[in-house]
Each structure stands twice: as C-alpha cells, then as structure tokens.
Amino acid sequence: MRLPHSFYRRADVVATAQELLGQHVVRATADGIMRARIVETEAYNGPHDRACHAYGHRRTPRTETMYRPGGVAYVYFIYGIHHMLNVVTHEADEPYAVLIRAVEPLAGTDLMLANRKLSRLPNEQPPKGTGNGPGVLCQALGITRALDGTDLVNGTELWIEAAPYVAAAEIIASPRVGVAYAGEDARLPYRFRIRDSIWTSRAK
DNA sequence: ATGTCGATTTGCT
DNA sequence: GCAAATCGACATA
C-alpha cells in the first residue's frame, strides 16, 4: 500500500519527517526494482526556516517543486556532484519538504551496488555503500533531477509504501547537517534517525 | 555576464 | 581533520 495524499499533506513537516522513518522507498527502473527502508530524515520547515531553500517564500525555478501539493519528490543537484531526494509536504503553495538522508537496502541490493559501482556490501560496521548519506542513496537508487516533481502517490518510477511506524522511543532527534549558514535555525532538532540502525549516516 | 557558494562525499595527511 | 571535486542556481550588475 502506498502512502496516501493525506499522509503528505498534513501541515506538520516535523511530524511527517518522523513518520517517514520505517517507510519503504520503492524505485522502479528498466533494470529492475529496488526497495529500501528509510532510517534517517531531516525536516525543512518552509518559509520560516533559514535552512530551507524556500526561506522567506523564495520562489525560483528550482524551489518551484516545493510549492506543489504534498506527495511529490523534490530532487536537486548540489556541490556539482550529488543529488538529494526530498519528499514535498503540506498543501499547494506551502513549501515544506523532508530530506531523505539514509536508507537500509531491502531488495534489489545488487542493482544498488551496480549503480554505485561496487561489487558487494562492505564488511565494516557501519556498512558504507548503498544507503547511508543523501547523495549516496540517490546514486544507489538511480535518482536524478529527471525525477524532480515525480508523483509519489500515482507515479510509476518512484513511490513510498506504508510500513509500521517507528516508536518515538526509537527515534533520535538532533541538529541538521551542513546548514551552519542558517544561524539559529541550524540548532533546531530536525534531524531524525532510528536509534539502533547501523544504516544511518555518520554523526557529525 | 560574472562571482559565490552549497541540505556532500571521498581520500589523503 | 581537512580540502578537493564540480556545476548550476542564484544574486548582483
């Protein structure tokens, strides 16, 4: 079962970021299908969040996707190298999004490894390679700007399926990564990860 | 038209 | 721990 529009359109991006933990990202390509469990997210709290691309209602060709109704993907390119996968939330014209920061591979791992040009999962703990880190997971799942604006509820290339919520006691909240430019807002505890998962990104 | 810098990752010191 | 990689979005002119 895919997550419905109502899941994405609720006006509480911080709650949605926590509830996305445990849900399954599914990516379908010509080469096959991949499935991964979300283990780390970050909330971007719209116009009042200095760390958000849409801070102050900034509206540009890039941020336009965030103004769409909740339930589409916001994918952008950063540092000349990496793509970032976000889930747009709230109703139309309300620019909020959740960054998917890390996933645990569940199926199609061979495809993810091929996309990453690796032959096998590394042995080290935590394992690096297919899911830990927002740029790495996009490469593993073959996600680029071609998927910006993709409909997660009715689309055929990328969607999210419902899985049990992660209990609050299992969720660790901490400040977001790489947003020092956001001043006070950089300290907000909007990064969420599953306590015992070995698949989250490195703590900073 | 041009300059700055980024919601990162990796490898080398 | 630190800096390079690498390019496009955005602001400024």
Side-chain angles (χ1 to χ4, degrees):
Chain A
M1 273 283 288
R2 294 194 192 197
L3 294 175
H5 278 128
S6 57
F7 177 92
Y8 299 105
R9 296 185 182 172
R10 184 150 66 96
D12 187 343
V13 70
V14 174
T16 303
Q18 293 170 78
E19 292 176 5
L20 275 168
L21 293 175
Q23 311 307 305
H24 293 182
V25 173
V26 182
R27 169 74 170 122
T29 71
D31 294 324
I33 194 160
M34 292 167 272
R35 173 181 294 268
R37 180 172 180 249
I38 298 171
V39 298
E40 181 175 335
T41 61
E42 275 178 6
Y44 284 84
N45 201 21
H48 297 108
D49 180 357
R50 299 184 95 89
C52 183
H53 291 165
Y55 173 64
H57 287 98
R58 183 168 58 167
R59 200 157 182 158
T60 66
R62 182 178 67 158
T63 64
E64 195 60 32
T65 305
M66 275 202 282
Y67 288 83
R68 294 181 53 183
V72 301
Y74 169 45
V75 182
Y76 65 89
F77 187 58
I78 190 74
Y79 294 119
I81 304 178
H82 302 290
H83 294 273
M84 300 284 120
L85 171 63
N86 299 255
V87 172
V88 174
T89 70
H90 284 59
E91 298 290 344
D93 296 318
E94 297 174 13
Y96 296 76
V98 176
L99 171 67
I100 306 303
R101 285 195 57 86
V103 297
E104 169 184 350
L106 295 178
T109 306
D110 49 342
L111 255 181
M112 299 184 207
L113 291 169
N115 287 338
R116 289 275 299 149
K117 301 189 184 353
L118 298 172
S119 58
R120 61 179 174 78
L121 277 176
N123 291 322
E124 76 248 26
Q125 298 287 323
K128 298 180 171 66
T130 55
N132 58 334
V136 166
L137 102 237
C138 281
Q139 188 182 6
L141 295 175
I143 292 170
T144 69
R145 275 177 303 174
L147 291 175
D148 183 39
T150 291
D151 184 344
L152 298 173
V153 179
N154 296 302
T156 59
E157 300 183 284
L158 177 68
W159 62 90
I160 302 179
E161 292 186 8
Y165 287 143
V166 173
E170 299 302 312
I171 298 175
I172 298 175
S174 61
R176 293 172 292 186
V177 179
V179 296
Y181 62 86
E184 291 287 299
D185 290 345
R187 303 219 289 263
L188 293 169
Y190 285 173
R191 177 193 191 195
F192 303 103
R193 57 206 153 110
I194 299 178
R195 181 184 299 278
D196 295 322
S197 176
I198 61 171
W199 299 96
T200 58
S201 67
R202 162 170 136 265
K204 280 195 178 173

